[in-house]
Amino acid sequence: MPLTRSLSMGSLSGLPLWDQEELPVEDLLLFEVAWEVTNKVGGIYTVIQTKAKVTVDEWGENFFMIGPYYEHNFKTQVEQCDPPNAAIKAALESIKNNGCQVHFGRWLIEGTPYVILFDIGAAAWNLDRWKGDLWNTCSIGLPYHDREANDSLILGSLVAWFFKELQDKPNVIAHFHEWQAGVGLVLIRSRKLPMATVFTTHATLLGRYLCAGNADFYNNLDKFDIDREAGERQIYHRYCLERAAVHCSHVFTTVSQITAVEADHMLHRQPDVVTPNGLNVKKFSAMHEFQNLHSMNKLKIQEFVRGHFYGHLDFNLEKTLFFFIAGRYEFSNKGADVFLEALSRLNYLLRVHKSDVTVVVFFIMPAKTNNFNVESLKGQAVRKQLWDTAQSVKEKFGKRLYEALLRGEIPDMNKILDRDDFTIMKRAIYATQRHTLPPVTTHNMLDDSTDPILSNVRRIGLFNSRSDRVKIVFHPEFLSSTSPLLPMDYEEFIRGCHLGVFPSYYEPWGYTPGECTVMGIPSVTTNLSGFGCFMEEHISDPSAYGIYIVDRRFRSAEDSCNQLTQFMFSFCQQSRRQRIIQRNRTERLSDLLDWRYLARVRRNHIQMLQTYCVCQPPWKLVVFGFQSVPGLILFFVTHCMSKSLETPVCPVFLLH
């Protein structure tokens, strides 16, 4: 009797006997399919890029990544070469001979994994035919105007075509990320290809849309009419593809427990394994080196602040703290609404307590702009001109002082600088006068009047006036070392700040606080983010280690805002020595997020899985892992590739 879905680790006891020999791991090929391979779009790019080194170390020449081809990315990030595997080379040649373009090479990141990149544009002439195949197989139709869904179908069709050509090498495991890549998984199962599949959702499609629409998401998970909500947002076809991929996969994973609960309600399948994300952690031989990097990069940020706030620089930069929030411009999902309200209250507390601490807050979120604004560029020009003037006067002063000392004289300070020097300095001072407040944003915004951040800044009245102890700088563009305003890479910027604030309402994992942690920078997160839940689970007192967790799940928005305000106010009251000690403690947590640590944990649990195999003697398990956490390891059963489980899953049957 054919099975409606391949069973995974939760139901091994109900499977029939299968007496084939165990498949050695050396004979397996592992493919990782994602839209973000060599293509930086979002957080998944960080996942696959940082994980590549550990995966290559374990799988060697048997690991390949698959993604879309973009000419610029290929020329700047990939070294072209020939496939090392004869079966893969033959499959790629077959696709090329049929009129589609595919490129192979090594991705020039740590680990240098092999990548297979399909040219979507060159294969677009097949789109109508592939749409028909998808409709005939799954009854899922794609509208002509949804380019992202159409491109996903082209990529998925090419991926399925490639794996069909690989039938001479049947021991294949394919790992798909998110619905854009999941189309290929659905087509693989519909064509009965004998290979094992895993699907990872980093965030459910509908969950992200609902939270962006200010829905009370987590309190109403079991009350949403899923089909109606997806239809109203005109993403029903995308939702069908995502849910089909979830139910077609042999093993379904997600990145956090909070997303596992969400997936159970939104996609109607509980993840088999929760696999938190990691990072490549670089340890310094000298323990204090990351503190030195903080000091060096803080000086760069201070230089920007000197220019941006020229004429209003009446606060002490040595007593100024730099906070920041960064990520996709999802105003409510990322918690920017709560953050701004908390900043207003923090400003009030600092003024009431007559604190000498000033907080400069950076919003690093890309938005639609029309280049840099004139005031921001002028500020940096004025700062540079003042620096050049000071250097010129200093050189003259030093030379005259040196000559006076050689003559054995104590110089007269009223004569050591002449009238021209004073004139130059006075002109420089007059040039710093401005009759407007320092700008809140560094760019000309295209939707200034309706922009959520600027609208809320107007509401709370934080306009960078002299009396404000909290200053705001909205940088609506990703950071770059080539920028004329803030010439710093994102990593340098993080190291120069004092606190990262990410009070997200919807954050399936949350790489931004994780990146802060591995660099020794304290951060604020929430118990609705995967990172926050992970830290609560593994650390008894996260705040003592610089991980402040705002309760946005069991408290009202007002209480959460007050809690965030108190966290920031307490941080402002710390002495410099206390902040240094806290950064040391934060940096110690980096091992928890290291891919190498997660790999060691995986190996420690192989013995547990081998014991499980003894309990099920008819079954032979192929044990492997690519994302592991204490107590959890992802593994495949070889029955995923047996003929008895080749029966495809009909997504329409699952959806209805």
Side-chain angles (χ1 to χ4, degrees):
M1 179 179 177
L3 300 176
T4 57
R5 193 189 80 193
S6 299
L7 304 178
S8 56
M9 61 177 287
S11 49
L12 286 178
S13 59
L15 294 171
L17 299 181
W18 189 49
D19 55 5
Q20 292 193 23
E21 292 296 322
E22 178 179 353
L23 294 174
V25 175
E26 289 76 12
D27 289 344
L28 290 171
L29 293 181
L30 173 61
F31 294 87
E32 192 163 10
V33 187
W35 193 261
E36 286 80 1
V37 172
T38 74
N39 179 35
K40 189 171 184 179
V41 178
I44 302 174
Y45 176 88
T46 305
V47 175
I48 60 178
Q49 182 196 37
T50 57
K51 182 161 60 67
K53 176 66 166 62
V54 174
T55 314
V56 169
D57 288 345
E58 183 170 346
W59 286 81
E61 300 287 293
N62 290 358
F63 174 60
F64 304 85
M65 290 183 170
I66 299 178
Y69 168 80
Y70 291 98
E71 184 178 7
H72 174 74
N73 294 341
F74 186 80
K75 288 183 176 180
T76 57
Q77 300 183 45
V78 180
E79 180 184 14
Q80 192 167 3
C81 63
D82 293 326
N85 185 287
I88 292 178
K89 186 174 183 179
L92 297 180
E93 287 298 327
S94 176
I95 293 175
K96 289 180 181 179
N97 293 336
N98 282 277
C100 295
Q101 296 297 317
V102 58
H103 303 265
F104 188 92
R106 281 190 177 274
W107 190 3
L108 299 179
I109 59 174
E110 196 171 1
T112 58
Y114 289 117
V115 292
I116 302 170
L117 304 176
F118 293 102
D119 192 329
I120 295 173
W125 57 276
N126 288 300
L127 179 59
D128 289 340
R129 177 166 62 87
W130 285 337
K131 279 188 176 183
D133 291 343
L134 183 67
W135 175 258
N136 294 332
T137 303
C138 312
S139 296
I140 298 177
L142 303 184
Y144 73 93
H145 58 77
D146 190 342
R147 180 172 180 177
E148 186 176 7
N150 291 331
D151 287 348
S152 299
L153 175 60
I154 297 173
L155 177 63
S157 300
L158 290 169
V159 169
W161 184 1
F162 166 74
F163 283 122
K164 185 177 181 180
E165 298 292 336
L166 267 181
Q167 286 191 356
D168 292 336
K169 181 72 178 178
N171 302 333
V172 173
I173 298 168
H175 175 206
F176 297 82
H177 293 270
E178 288 293 283
W179 71 272
Q180 293 98 326
V183 181
L185 191 155
V186 175
L187 296 174
I188 285 169
R189 296 306 309 282
S190 69
R191 295 169 187 177
K192 306 181 183 181
L193 302 185
M195 55 187 290
T197 58
V198 58
F199 181 75
T200 297
T201 181
H202 297 258
T204 68
L205 187 65
L206 188 56
R208 190 179 294 279
Y209 271 82
L210 287 169
C211 288
N214 295 320
D216 188 3
F217 184 64
Y218 293 100
N219 290 325
N220 295 283
L221 273 174
D222 57 341
K223 300 180 180 65
F224 289 114
D225 183 342
I226 305 301
D227 291 333
R228 182 177 63 83
E229 296 288 352
E232 287 180 351
R233 288 160 178 78
Q234 299 182 11
I235 57 167
Y236 187 71
H237 56 289
R238 296 187 181 192
Y239 167 72
C240 290
L241 291 172
E242 179 183 42
R243 187 167 166 184
V246 167
H247 286 270
C248 284
S249 61
H250 296 106
V251 175
F252 171 46
T253 79
T254 190
V255 295
S256 66
Q257 194 58 50
I258 194 72
T259 312
V261 175
E262 174 189 342
D264 188 23
H265 289 88
M266 296 288 109
L267 302 172
H268 297 288
R269 180 179 177 183
Q270 291 184 351
D272 300 297
V273 182
V274 173
T275 56
N277 294 325
L279 286 163
N280 285 331
V281 179
K282 298 179 181 178
K283 291 288 186 180
F284 297 102
S285 55
M287 291 295 293
H288 61 274
E289 184 60 27
F290 79 96
Q291 297 279 11
N292 292 340
L293 289 174
H294 167 73
S295 298
M296 291 168 52
N297 290 297
K298 183 179 68 173
L299 293 176
K300 295 181 181 179
I301 299 177
Q302 287 177 341
E303 282 301 293
F304 166 80
V305 170
R306 287 188 176 99
H308 192 78
F309 291 92
Y310 83 91
H312 289 257
L313 202 64
D314 54 353
F315 50 91
N316 187 354
L317 281 177
E318 294 303 317
K319 293 184 179 181
T320 299
L321 302 179
F322 301 130
F323 294 0
F324 81 98
I325 182 174
R328 286 188 301 271
Y329 198 173
E330 298 176 1
F331 183 68
S332 57
N333 281 1
K334 296 297 183 183
D337 50 352
V338 174
F339 188 27
L340 281 166
E341 181 60 34
L343 288 176
S344 175
R345 301 179 186 189
L346 174 65
N347 185 52
Y348 172 78
L349 289 176
L350 292 175
R351 291 169 63 178
V352 166
H353 289 82
K354 297 182 179 179
S355 174
D356 59 353
V357 172
T358 301
V359 178
V360 177
V361 184
F362 293 88
F363 286 77
I364 312 296
M365 291 180 164
K368 295 180 180 180
T369 66
N370 187 16
N371 219 323
F372 304 103
N373 64 41
V374 174
E375 270 300 304
S376 296
L377 291 172
K378 179 182 176 182
Q380 299 308 313
V382 169
R383 177 194 61 78
K384 188 176 184 305
Q385 181 61 41
L386 283 175
W387 174 259
D388 292 341
T389 300
Q391 291 297 106
S392 175
V393 173
K394 183 180 73 172
E395 186 176 344
K396 292 181 181 179
F397 180 89
K399 184 177 180 180
R400 292 167 183 167
L401 176 62
Y402 173 65
E403 291 174 348
L405 293 176
L406 284 177
R407 294 193 300 268
E409 301 175 357
I410 298 297
D412 184 352
M413 293 302 172
N414 294 323
K415 296 180 179 179
I416 202 167
L417 292 177
D418 56 28
R419 182 181 296 274
D420 290 340
D421 295 328
F422 283 104
T423 301
I424 291 173
M425 290 189 289
K426 288 179 180 179
R427 287 176 59 186
I429 292 174
Y430 290 144
T432 64
Q433 295 180 357
R434 71 195 310 176
H435 303 290
T436 59
L437 294 174
V440 170
T441 179
T442 58
H443 291 60
N444 294 320
M445 303 293 293
L446 291 183
D447 302 317
D448 183 285
S449 60
T450 59
D451 182 81
I453 289 179
L454 296 182
S455 296
N456 277 269
V457 166
R458 297 184 189 103
R459 178 182 62 83
I460 61 180
L462 285 180
F463 299 119
N464 296 336
S465 64
R466 293 182 184 274
S467 60
D468 288 332
R469 298 268 54 83
V470 174
K471 318 284 187 180
I472 291 180
V473 178
F474 179 22
H475 189 280
E477 193 177 70
F478 286 129
L479 296 171
S480 171
S481 58
T482 60
S483 170
L485 281 184
L486 189 54
M488 300 179 73
D489 288 329
Y490 182 62
E491 180 178 334
E492 295 176 326
F493 178 77
I494 292 177
R495 289 191 182 278
C497 288
H498 297 91
L499 182 71
V501 185
F502 316 101
S504 305
Y505 182 76
Y506 185 79
E507 192 70 80
W509 174 246
Y511 255 119
T512 41
E515 289 166 336
C516 288
T517 302
V518 300
M519 296 180 197
I521 302 300
S523 62
V524 177
T525 184
T526 72
N527 59 354
L528 287 180
S529 74
F531 176 83
C533 294
F534 180 78
M535 285 300 175
E536 279 187 324
E537 180 183 354
H538 289 83
I539 306 172
S540 58
D541 185 12
S543 60
Y545 289 85
I547 308 295
Y548 300 95
I549 300 177
V550 177
D551 186 355
R552 295 203 64 182
R553 188 173 186 182
F554 304 109
R555 292 192 182 193
S556 66
E558 176 71 15
D559 291 342
S560 298
C561 186
N562 287 333
Q563 186 183 20
L564 174 58
T565 305
Q566 192 56 48
F567 281 155
M568 293 191 294
F569 184 63
S570 299
F571 188 86
C572 293
Q573 291 179 309
Q574 291 182 3
S575 65
R576 183 179 180 184
R577 180 173 180 81
Q578 287 174 323
R579 292 196 301 271
I580 291 173
I581 293 172
Q582 189 177 60
R583 283 198 295 273
N584 279 323
R585 303 192 74 182
T586 302
E587 199 268 344
R588 292 176 199 164
L589 298 178
S590 59
D591 284 340
L592 280 175
L593 303 171
D594 194 342
W595 282 120
R596 289 171 294 183
Y597 167 77
L598 299 179
R600 289 197 300 270
V601 172
R602 176 189 64 241
R603 297 186 184 97
N604 291 340
H605 287 82
I606 288 179
Q607 183 63 43
M608 178 189 69
L609 295 177
Q610 291 173 340
T611 303
Y612 183 82
C613 294
V614 174
C615 299
Q616 302 286 338
W619 289 95
K620 306 293 184 180
L621 300 185
V622 176
V623 180
F624 89 103
F626 51 82
Q627 288 180 328
S628 308
V629 294
L632 295 173
I633 180 171
L634 181 60
F635 64 94
F636 281 96
V637 292
T638 53
H639 75 264
C640 294
M641 291 167 278
S642 69
K643 293 182 179 179
S644 62
L645 296 182
E646 290 178 14
T647 304
V649 183
C650 178
V652 174
F653 173 78
L654 291 167
L655 291 172
H656 297 284

